[in-house]
Amino acid sequence: MRAWQVATLGEPVEALRLVEVDEPVPAAGELRVRVLAAGIGLPDALLCRGTYAFRPPLPFVPGQEVCGVVVEVGVGVDDPALAPGARVMGVTCFPDGRGGFADVTVLDAANAFRVPDAMPALEAASFRIGFSTAWTALVRRATVAPDETVVVLGAAGGSGLAAVQLAHALGARVIAVASGAEKLARCTEAGADVVVDRAEASVPDEVLAATEGRGADVVFDPVGGPLADSLLAAMAPRGRFLAVGFASGRWVEAPTARLVGRNVSLLGVLAAGWDREDDLAAHEQLLALSGRGALGLAPTPVPFADLPAALTDVAVGRTVGKLVLDVHPDAGA
């Protein structure tokens, strides 16, 4: 099969090589899946660099998220929704190097979820990580209530747009933070009530102005760094700051005294680690919102041969919204 493989660590255009390798074999509890489309995200660039939390042994295939068709199930997989021929979306076994930037990949059955018949593969390949992370942050961790104010940093990226859409669907007032007119327009389309250009204005000042001095009830932060640090001064009493990621290169730094002063909570967010029943229930609620048109990232397709350049664009912040690798366009991805 074709696969994009990281043979040496570095920037995506240097690290990735298109190779022919044997198809992976599913172990007990796993699925072998023919990939239709694969989401492209910043973590994939960090995997290429060797700076992500997981560091598979070289050489390895990156690619965290896919939509595909089950072709074989391992021992112990007896869920009819995951039987051969079923379309599934989910997270690959990328931590051990069996990622999704290939014709065929492997998913743990616990990380595979059904794809509605009406959902295109490109959309499904961009759905699971972004919206399950947003759900974990806004529903499971912050319990966002209608009419609360949610600030989303990095709002024009894949995870940011998912958070903007879900917060809007939950009835929150959304302040989206991004850079540049094109990105801000995309945030408005996704449901943001207020947009702030981080390159042109003080984000804490704009948040305080938009909330008449009260501050944000919730901050969704996939960025970290100085921008995230600065938002701690613009939190409402009993606010919840959601540490989601560190696209800037480091996590938010939140001195305890600053949190205590207004009863602000710093909450870590990880979509993994919940039980299967809870994950399935959350997935169905997200699909219901998608079916009503409230959720959906309308990703940009990328030809299979163009992955290194596309991943470079994601890594340096040139992209708007979500990119998806169109692995088998002939299959209706």
Side-chain angles (χ1 to χ4, degrees):
M1 69 172 186
R2 300 173 305 165
W4 282 104
Q5 195 176 74
V6 174
T8 183
L9 299 179
E11 294 303 310
V13 293
E14 303 162 347
L16 288 166
R17 297 288 184 272
L18 185 57
V19 298
E20 289 283 336
V21 295
D22 293 336
E23 292 187 7
V25 177
E30 295 180 344
L31 314 172
R32 183 161 60 98
V33 173
R34 180 174 183 263
V35 180
L36 299 176
I40 301 172
L42 179 60
D44 299 308
L46 301 181
L47 281 166
C48 290
R49 295 170 178 167
T51 59
Y52 197 54
F54 299 101
R55 296 190 64 174
L58 296 169
F60 66 87
V61 178
Q64 290 188 305
E65 182 176 22
V66 300
C67 171
V69 178
V70 178
V71 294
E72 182 184 359
V73 300
V75 174
V77 179
D78 54 9
D79 185 344
L82 305 180
R87 282 202 314 161
V88 296
M89 66 172 85
V91 179
T92 67
C93 295
F94 75 92
D96 64 17
R98 296 177 294 166
F101 295 149
D103 287 324
V104 176
T105 191
V106 176
L107 280 67
D108 189 301
N111 292 327
F113 299 83
R114 79 174 185 93
V115 178
D117 292 341
M119 181 179 283
L122 288 170
E123 181 69 41
S126 67
F127 191 86
R128 182 65 204 163
I129 289 180
F131 286 112
S132 65
T133 299
W135 183 272
T136 298
L138 300 176
V139 177
R140 287 166 163 162
R141 302 293 281 139
T143 58
V144 169
D147 299 324
E148 285 194 308
T149 297
V150 176
V151 174
V152 179
L153 302 183
S159 63
L161 282 174
V164 169
Q165 289 188 348
L166 182 58
H168 177 74
L170 294 171
R173 183 169 184 249
V174 184
I175 301 176
V177 180
S179 178
E182 184 181 5
K183 292 183 178 181
L184 295 178
R186 185 68 178 272
C187 294
T188 299
E189 292 172 2
D193 300 283
V194 178
V195 293
V196 178
D197 191 329
R198 62 175 175 78
E200 300 293 336
S202 164
V203 176
D205 288 349
E206 293 296 315
V207 169
L208 290 170
T211 58
E212 298 182 343
R214 184 174 184 277
D217 297 295
V218 175
V219 172
F220 179 95
D221 172 32
V223 177
L227 176 59
D229 299 347
S230 72
L231 262 295
L232 294 169
M235 298 293 296
R238 297 174 298 282
R240 291 89 77 202
F241 194 104
L242 298 163
V244 179
F246 57 101
S248 68
R250 72 162 171 84
W251 292 97
V252 63
E253 295 178 354
T256 303
R258 181 167 285 188
L259 301 176
V260 170
R262 306 200 88 184
N263 283 308
V264 170
S265 299
L266 175 64
L267 302 174
V269 175
L270 182 65
W274 305 84
D275 64 61
R276 178 66 172 174
E277 291 74 17
D278 187 72
D279 278 342
L280 287 172
H283 185 66
E284 291 304 318
Q285 292 181 74
L286 289 167
L287 291 181
L289 289 169
S290 174
R292 297 201 295 269
L295 305 180
L297 297 181
T300 300
V302 173
F304 193 77
D306 294 349
L307 175 65
L311 196 48
T312 297
D313 288 341
V314 170
V316 300
R318 279 196 290 262
T319 58
V320 179
K322 185 72 174 178
L323 303 186
V324 171
L325 193 66
D326 201 353
V327 180
H328 284 121
D330 58 314

